[in-house]
Amino acid sequence: MNTTGPAPARRLESLVPMAVFSRRPDLQGRLVRLHLLVLCAMTLLLVAVQTAQLYGEARERLGERALTASRIVSRLPDVIVGATRAAPDAALNARVNALRAEAEADFIVVGDRRGVRLAHPLPERLGKPMEGGDNALPLAGQEVVSVARGSLGLSVRGKVPVWAGGVRGGRVVGVVSTGYLMPQVWHLVLGALVSLLPWFVLALALGTLGAVWAARRLRAEILNLEPEQIAALVSEQRAVLAALREGVLAVNAAGQVTLSSDRAVSMLGRPDHAPLAQLWPELARVTDPAAPGRHQNLELTLRGQPVLVNLEPLDAGGFVAGFRDRAEALALAEELTHARGFVDVLRAQTHEYQNRLHVLSGLLQLGRSEEALRVLNAEIHADSQFRQLLHDVQVPRLVALLAGKRERAQELGIDFQVAEGSSLGPIWERHADTLVSAVGNLTGNAFEALGGQPGQVTVLIGEDPEGMQIEVEDSGPGVPAYLGTRLFERGVSSKGEGRGYGLHGVTVRLHALGGELRHTRRDGRTVFLLSLPLPTPLRPTPLHPGLPAPGALRSGPPTDDPPDPAPYAAGDHP
């Protein structure tokens, strides 16, 4: 069986329905087509430029040929005599046409000083004026190459003056015009383009191969994703970042912030494309973007506020940092701890009541109704007695917690007691969350300290004009000596990794209210003492008549017995 997972690109492609892309070619096809379109456009432009250049060269070359032929003809004695006589001559016309055939020109025309034709390829046009309007310069003694339209059509002409007696610089008696019609020019241009055609085809083929290679390389670089898939992923990424309640920063290998969530923007300002060392110097000091490590719940400060940071390295260097307010994280952890504690309480109550119902049901089925009645009365009396002990504790949530802990203790075989005279006024309802968290952690730790062995846990609650006190006492082995004063620090516990957060959180909340939490050994028992000052601005509540004075909740002076070697599970609620 193949146990390997799909390639990353395939997993990403599955995020977007392929029906979206069935209407359009894939990225490789579109890139090849676009490249070919650009290449063809560039080829056509080059052909146009080359045609214009070849046209100019062909016209210049034909003009030079025409000028050379006109010079030769203008020096012939027959032409000089005929131009001087200024009369058409059939023999002269035949001689000039023979020379035209040898020069492969379209025409050679000889005219007198008045511009009247003395020789022409068409005999019927002899004696008629030359056309084109370009005889002024030759008749003035200058040689010229021009493009003009004559009786035979548009042509390139080379015109040379005919000098009297063949002496250059003397009197001009006529003009010789040799010409090549424009189709000959375009014929030369076409021949040159045909010779270049294989090179154009080769360039187009190489361009096509290059486009296919570049498209494949680009597609591989973007994980074989289509542009629409990339756009959809970016849109989803933005939505996810906007929905996150914690700050998220992406930092590249150069230490530059490249991506940030809305929460990060609100906490850091505008972090996009800014150096991390400028936005968050402490995070920059503890990380190396070039070779980052993976960290969980790294405690840092951000603008004076404690935050928890998780770092996840990136394959190409850099890292992604997720951070959240430490107080929010602790509050959430406490809510989860409370919820878990209530679940345990309900489960314990359900278990105990089912056991009692089974006992009663069995006794009734056996016909021992009197014994069933005694069991029921005993349970009612025990519950009534326990409720009576909590009668003066006027914080309902704390009472509910203690009742649940009693059921949990019975399930564990632990003797759980609330001391007589315990009382707490309704003024402490405002701190009910803190009290529930503290008592829940302390009693839970006391249960664990007994290690599944029979023992006793006692809770004493009282108040005086200065505040309130709660003692949780257990008959366990005590706090290990190596924990010492570090018991209330974050993550300190004898229970292994992932523990040691409960007591720390309780201590933080108590300190925020001006209270404290300490522990000691007294008469071979471990005692945790919680105290809170009276809430302000309310007046002190009178001391309950049955409550012992502060510091005298137990008879006898406090002692610090040496701890037993047995480990004490400290620092958090189970």
Side-chain angles (χ1 to χ4, degrees), residues 242-533:
L244 288 176
R245 293 188 59 188
E246 67 176 23
V248 176
L249 290 179
V251 181
N252 61 18
Q256 199 84 2
V257 176
T258 58
L259 185 66
S260 57
S261 66
D262 292 345
R263 183 68 181 275
V265 172
S266 64
M267 297 179 71
L268 285 169
R270 185 72 243 177
D272 287 345
H273 308 293
L276 179 64
Q278 176 183 343
L279 292 170
W280 197 347
E282 185 178 1
L283 180 59
R285 285 195 300 270
V286 300
T287 57
D288 181 9
R294 182 178 285 105
H295 299 280
Q296 297 291 330
N297 294 325
L298 186 64
E299 290 195 17
L300 300 176
T301 58
L302 176 59
R303 297 187 177 181
Q305 297 295 327
V307 294
L308 298 178
V309 183
N310 296 328
L311 298 180
E312 185 68 25
L314 299 175
D315 295 337
F319 58 88
V320 174
F323 56 94
R324 61 194 181 278
D325 187 272
R326 183 171 172 272
E328 293 182 2
L330 290 178
L332 180 60
E334 289 180 1
E335 290 181 8
L336 293 176
T337 300
H338 292 167
R340 186 184 303 173
F342 287 131
V343 169
D344 290 340
V345 166
L346 291 175
R347 182 179 60 81
Q349 287 181 338
T350 302
H351 184 265
E352 285 301 311
Y353 280 116
Q354 284 181 343
N355 288 338
R356 295 166 187 171
L357 289 176
H358 290 160
V359 171
L360 292 175
S361 175
L363 291 174
L364 292 175
Q365 291 179 12
L366 294 174
R368 305 174 68 174
S369 57
E370 293 183 359
E371 188 172 350
L373 184 60
R374 284 197 300 272
V375 171
L376 184 59
N377 289 332
E379 291 293 338
I380 293 174
H381 177 72
D383 288 342
S384 176
Q385 186 179 14
F386 186 79
R387 286 197 300 270
Q388 185 63 35
L389 292 174
L390 296 175
H391 179 268
D392 293 328
V393 178
Q394 301 180 42
V395 179
R397 278 179 283 178
L398 181 58
V399 172
L401 174 71
L402 293 174
K405 290 295 182 180
R406 175 173 175 265
E407 301 292 342
R408 175 64 174 165
Q410 290 179 353
E411 184 182 21
L412 297 174
I414 297 173
D415 182 14
F416 181 75
Q417 299 290 336
V418 175
E420 284 189 46
S422 294
S423 67
L424 198 62
I427 189 176
W428 298 101
E429 176 64 29
R430 68 178 66 182
H431 296 327
D433 288 338
T434 301
L435 296 177
V436 167
S437 176
V439 174
N441 274 279
L442 294 176
T443 54
N445 288 338
F447 291 169
E448 289 190 6
L450 295 175
Q453 301 298 321
Q456 187 177 32
V457 175
T458 304
V459 177
L460 176 61
I461 304 171
E463 60 182 335
D464 58 25
E466 296 181 358
M468 61 88 64
Q469 302 83 33
I470 296 178
E471 284 187 2
V472 178
E473 178 186 277
D474 67 78
S475 58
V479 179
Y482 68 88
L483 290 181
T485 58
R486 299 178 59 242
L487 180 63
F488 302 115
E489 294 180 7
R490 182 177 183 271
V492 175
S493 175
S494 61
K495 304 173 189 176
E497 295 185 2
R499 307 298 295 269
Y501 297 97
L503 285 182
H504 174 70
V506 170
T507 304
V508 171
R509 296 187 67 168
L510 290 176
H511 287 172
L513 297 175
E516 65 173 346
L517 178 65
R518 53 192 177 89
H519 71 93
T520 185
R521 289 283 289 181
R522 185 171 58 206
D523 298 334
R525 295 171 176 263
T526 302
V527 180
F528 280 83
L529 176 61
L530 177 157
S531 62
L532 279 176

Side-chain angles (χ1 to χ4, degrees), residues 154-218:
L154 187 65
S155 60
V156 178
R157 308 174 177 198
K159 294 199 171 189
V160 174
V162 179
W163 302 96
V167 179
R168 186 177 181 85
R171 184 170 59 89
V172 176
V173 295
V175 61
V176 177
S177 176
T178 303
Y180 295 89
L181 296 175
M182 292 307 295
Q184 280 211 45
V185 178
W186 289 113
H187 178 73
L188 292 176
V189 172
L190 182 60
L193 291 177
V194 169
S195 66
L196 294 175
L197 182 61
W199 298 104
F200 285 129
V201 173
L202 179 62
L204 194 62
L206 293 178
T208 302
L209 293 177
V212 173
W213 176 81
R216 288 182 177 177
R217 283 294 304 272
L218 178 60

